[in-house]
Amino acid sequence: MEKTEKNTNEIISGPEAIRVRFAPSPTGYLHIGSARTAFFNWLFAKKTKGRFILRIEDTDISRHLEEAIELIMDSLKWLGMSWDEGPDIGGNYGPYRQSQRKEIYLEYAKKLVENGRAYYCFCSQEKLAEKRKAFMGDAKADYYEYDRECYYLGPGKVRENLEGGIPWTIRLLVPDDIEIKFEDLVYGSISVSSNTQEDFIIIRSNGLPTYNFSAAIDDILMEITHVIRGEDHLSNTPKQILVYRALNAGLPVFTHLPMILGADGTKLSKRHGSISIEAYRQDGFLAESIRNYLSLLGWSYDEKTTILSLNDILNKFDLSQINKRPARFDYEKLLWLNGHYLRNMPDKDLEKLILEKIRLDTKTFNANISDIDKKIKKIIPIIKERIKTLNEALDIIYVFFRPVSYQQDFIDYIKTNKDTAINVIDDAILLLSGIRDFSHDNIEAALRNISERKNLNFRKTAEIIRAAVWGSKVSPPMFGTMEIFGKEECALRLKAFKKIIA
Ligand code: GLU
């Protein structure tokens, strides 16, 4: 048996031949880490004019939800990734769901048995547990490996057991004393002795393949040229390479993407904010900013460039520039990026997204939609600078359409200067009612006038008016906000507030 693997790049004949896959196990929503894996595969396929394949790894039925497959596909589409082959659209290498490929795995496993590269094992769980116990009891080794008992069964005995209906698994015969070597595009040259790998099970007693077997078989049969996946699979790669070798198949190029940690350096989890793409979508993030952010998890164009459009990413992305240092997922940075994209979006586009969200939110919002269509055009320019998510935009927008609610502590605060406040409000009611064209500039002039007449600094004056009209210390720019409310609504709010503090 040859001692080293072939140069991994040899099997690629040209850019057209590039085939990559994203192979999620459908256990739930698409997470940040998997989305990054999908995105890097997709980017690489786009850049090389290769093909991006979606394969669903759903052999472990109990853990898989039909619904999860839909959720994953939805999130991928929302992020703007489409696939060239997959369970929904088919392709020449299907089926693309592992649950529909069981016979294929079995067929290959049996072929390996015939060629002497794998063997049936009839050891029961209990027997294996005993072996393990005995081994660990008197050996110094800290790991146990299967002792090949069943490898030595003669063909007659194997047939007898099979015919007798004794439950079996199939194990790969791992050659002794060879180096399993491969070049990982990120982690570099990796070499593992085959002696560290036991004869692992490739077909379980229920007839289903183990992950390392089905993944390798599919990658071979689907002619995957580049396996790009998370670093957590690095330790599986030697096992998969053993399957390739047993079938005399050429290796793909392996690329393992660095781990993603939370901002505090611990394993990424819910504590660090939402981790599903769907949650970000619900929270009013843009696909654009998520994509931009994903691209920075393990890759960077240079040290300083943060904002990258999809085109920039497509132009600059390079698999060989991926860093093996763990990436940090920083929610604040993503939020900042999202704000950036919202601010720089044409008003028309932002309006469309906001209206879509409002229409979905029938629970919170029941104002007359035609009214909102008119007002929203004026609202967007004044809130655009201050929102970081679409949901933040909605929170502000709702204030325009709902009765204002005054917080008690804020009322108390204004009441510490009750007489001044009442005075200012009275003046405002009077002056504002006299404005014919209730525009930003005229409102400003009126309020400045009050502040001068009362000899009260303008900030103080505005604070009182804002309290009455908006109900808090901060609001979108005041004059524009008042213009949108209109004269009558402003007067109503001023009067109501006066009553409350009087
Ligand atoms: N189904 C595996 C996972 O979701 C993918 C493994 C692979 O890409 O080889 O982690």
Side-chain angles (χ1 to χ4, degrees):
M1 193 165 291
E2 54 176 3
K3 283 252 185 279
T4 57
E5 299 302 332
K6 279 195 305 180
N7 177 338
T8 51
N9 288 310
E10 270 170 32
I11 54 166
I12 298 150
S13 53
E16 289 76 22
I18 284 179
R19 294 174 57 81
V20 293
R21 85 307 194 269
F22 173 53
S25 307
T27 49
Y29 287 108
L30 181 69
H31 283 185
I32 295 282
S34 309
R36 193 259 321 247
T37 299
F39 191 44
F40 282 21
N41 273 285
W42 181 86
L43 281 171
F44 183 63
K46 284 278 162 252
K47 274 202 83 95
T48 55
K49 301 204 166 40
R51 288 173 79 78
F52 175 58
I53 292 138
L54 176 63
R55 180 172 82 218
I56 302 293
E57 305 212 320
D58 59 347
T59 51
D60 190 358
I61 304 146
S62 60
R63 283 169 52 228
H64 299 110
L65 313 159
E66 212 52 38
E67 203 187 31
I69 299 178
E70 289 300 319
L71 293 174
I72 290 169
M73 296 207 287
D74 273 359
S75 290
L76 291 172
K77 284 181 198 157
W78 180 71
L79 286 170
M81 290 181 243
S82 56
W83 41 97
D84 303 299
E85 297 165 33
D88 53 339
I89 53 171
N92 294 335
Y93 297 75
Y96 294 89
R97 281 181 66 162
Q98 289 193 329
S99 58
Q100 294 164 0
R101 299 172 63 82
K102 290 178 218 166
E103 291 73 27
I104 300 177
Y105 307 125
L106 204 53
E107 177 197 327
Y108 276 87
K110 285 183 175 166
K111 235 182 238 175
L112 289 174
V113 173
E114 274 163 33
N115 299 340
R117 312 295 294 255
Y119 58 91
Y120 284 100
C121 175
F122 301 95
C123 294
S124 64
Q125 292 284 354
E126 296 71 38
K127 187 166 182 182
L128 290 171
E130 263 164 42
K131 281 179 189 286
R132 175 181 297 264
K133 212 165 123 202
F135 182 87
M136 298 305 267
D138 45 60
K140 274 179 248 75
D142 51 5
Y143 71 93
Y144 162 78
E145 57 173 49
Y146 180 62
D147 61 5
R148 290 188 171 160
E149 180 181 328
C150 290
Y151 172 65
Y152 299 107
L153 295 176
K157 183 71 186 158
V158 171
R159 206 174 318 114
E160 187 190 315
N161 282 351
L162 289 174
E163 281 163 9
I166 298 180
W168 49 265
T169 59
I170 297 180
R171 288 179 184 269
L172 191 78
L173 178 66
V174 174
D176 292 331
D177 303 324
I178 60 159
E179 284 298 307
I180 308 164
K181 272 193 176 175
F182 64 102
E183 271 306 312
D184 187 275
L185 265 192
V186 175
Y187 289 83
S189 182
I190 294 184
S191 170
V192 175
S193 162
S194 66
N195 297 341
T196 63
Q197 310 289 322
E198 71 168 344
D199 291 352
F200 59 93
I201 292 177
I202 56 176
I203 299 288
R204 294 195 175 91
S205 56
N206 60 7
L208 293 176
T210 51
Y211 157 70
N212 282 311
F213 190 61
S214 53
I217 293 292
D218 286 349
D219 288 339
I220 294 168
L221 296 180
M222 294 182 180
E223 297 184 25
I224 300 302
T225 58
H226 293 67
V227 168
I228 305 169
R229 61 185 170 198
E231 173 269 0
D232 49 328
H233 288 293
L234 195 55
S235 60
N236 287 320
T237 306
K239 288 196 174 61
Q240 294 175 23
I241 290 177
L242 288 166
V243 175
Y244 274 83
R245 292 182 69 118
L247 288 161
N248 292 320
L251 291 185
V253 177
F254 288 101
T255 304
H256 287 88
L257 307 175
M259 211 186 308
I260 303 176
L261 303 175
D264 58 358
T266 62
K267 193 173 179 292
L268 187 63
S269 75
K270 288 216 173 86
R271 279 179 303 118
H272 300 105
S274 309
I275 50 173
S276 81
I277 296 298
E278 181 55 25
Y280 282 100
R281 180 187 184 175
Q282 297 283 338
D283 289 349
F285 282 77
L286 302 171
E288 228 171 338
S289 42
I290 305 265
R291 272 195 310 251
N292 187 156
Y293 194 68
L294 290 177
S295 79
L296 300 173
L297 292 173
W299 172 78
S300 70
Y301 172 58
D302 52 29
E303 290 297 310
K304 40 187 203 307
T305 312
T306 311
I307 293 168
L308 293 150
S309 69
L310 184 55
N311 258 339
D312 293 335
I313 302 170
L314 277 167
N315 286 330
K316 296 173 172 146
F317 182 78
D318 184 349
L319 262 196
S320 68
Q321 279 173 356
I322 290 170
N323 202 310
K324 64 178 169 222
R325 243 182 308 136
R328 298 251 172 157
F329 178 77
D330 181 347
Y331 178 81
E332 292 303 323
K333 191 165 168 187
L334 172 56
L335 193 61
W336 173 84
L337 258 182
N338 203 56
H340 166 84
Y341 281 103
L342 287 171
R343 277 195 300 283
N344 289 286
M345 182 178 268
D347 287 7
K348 271 237 128 321
D349 298 351
L350 187 52
E351 181 184 323
K352 203 172 141 235
L353 289 177
I354 289 177
L355 284 176
E356 265 167 26
K357 257 197 169 293
I358 287 179
R359 294 202 167 100
L360 287 175
D361 189 10
T362 47
K363 250 208 312 241
T364 327
F365 197 76
N366 43 26
N368 173 328
I369 295 276
S370 71
D371 194 24
I372 214 176
D373 279 345
K374 254 189 290 149
K375 282 195 178 163
I376 201 122
K377 288 194 175 39
K378 289 184 161 185
I379 297 175
I380 284 176
I382 69 169
I383 65 170
K384 214 173 158 180
E385 292 296 323
R386 54 182 58 231
I387 51 168
K388 293 208 190 69
T389 64
L390 292 171
N391 290 19
E392 280 182 18
L394 259 57
D395 288 343
I396 301 178
I397 289 168
Y398 289 153
V399 181
F400 282 96
F401 296 90
R402 287 235 207 85
V404 62
S405 68
Y406 302 104
Q407 301 293 317
Q408 191 55 46
D409 53 347
F410 191 54
I411 296 171
D412 295 342
Y413 166 73
I414 297 289
K415 272 167 93 170
T416 53
N417 254 319
K418 186 167 142 183
D419 294 342
T420 314
I422 291 181
N423 242 311
V424 166
I425 291 174
D426 280 338
D427 263 27
I429 294 172
L430 194 70
L431 283 188
L432 295 177
S433 73
I435 299 178
R436 220 167 325 119
D437 172 17
F438 201 70
S439 68
H440 175 285
D441 292 354
N442 290 339
I443 296 165
E444 177 172 5
L447 298 184
R448 290 203 181 274
N449 187 345
I450 297 173
S451 137
E452 272 160 35
R453 286 192 347 198
K454 294 267 172 290
N455 207 5
L456 183 66
N457 89 36
F458 185 68
R459 217 173 40 82
K460 224 40 216 165
T461 312
E463 184 176 61
I464 296 162
I465 304 294
R466 178 178 289 114
V469 173
W470 195 262
S472 67
K473 265 189 192 171
V474 286
S475 73
M478 264 293 288
F479 314 127
T481 302
M482 291 174 74
E483 178 183 325
I484 294 167
F485 276 128
K487 194 151 85 174
E488 281 75 39
E489 182 66 24
C490 285
L492 282 175
R493 291 183 177 213
L494 286 162
K495 284 176 192 159
F497 192 62
K498 182 185 159 189
K499 234 192 219 162
I500 288 171
I501 60 171

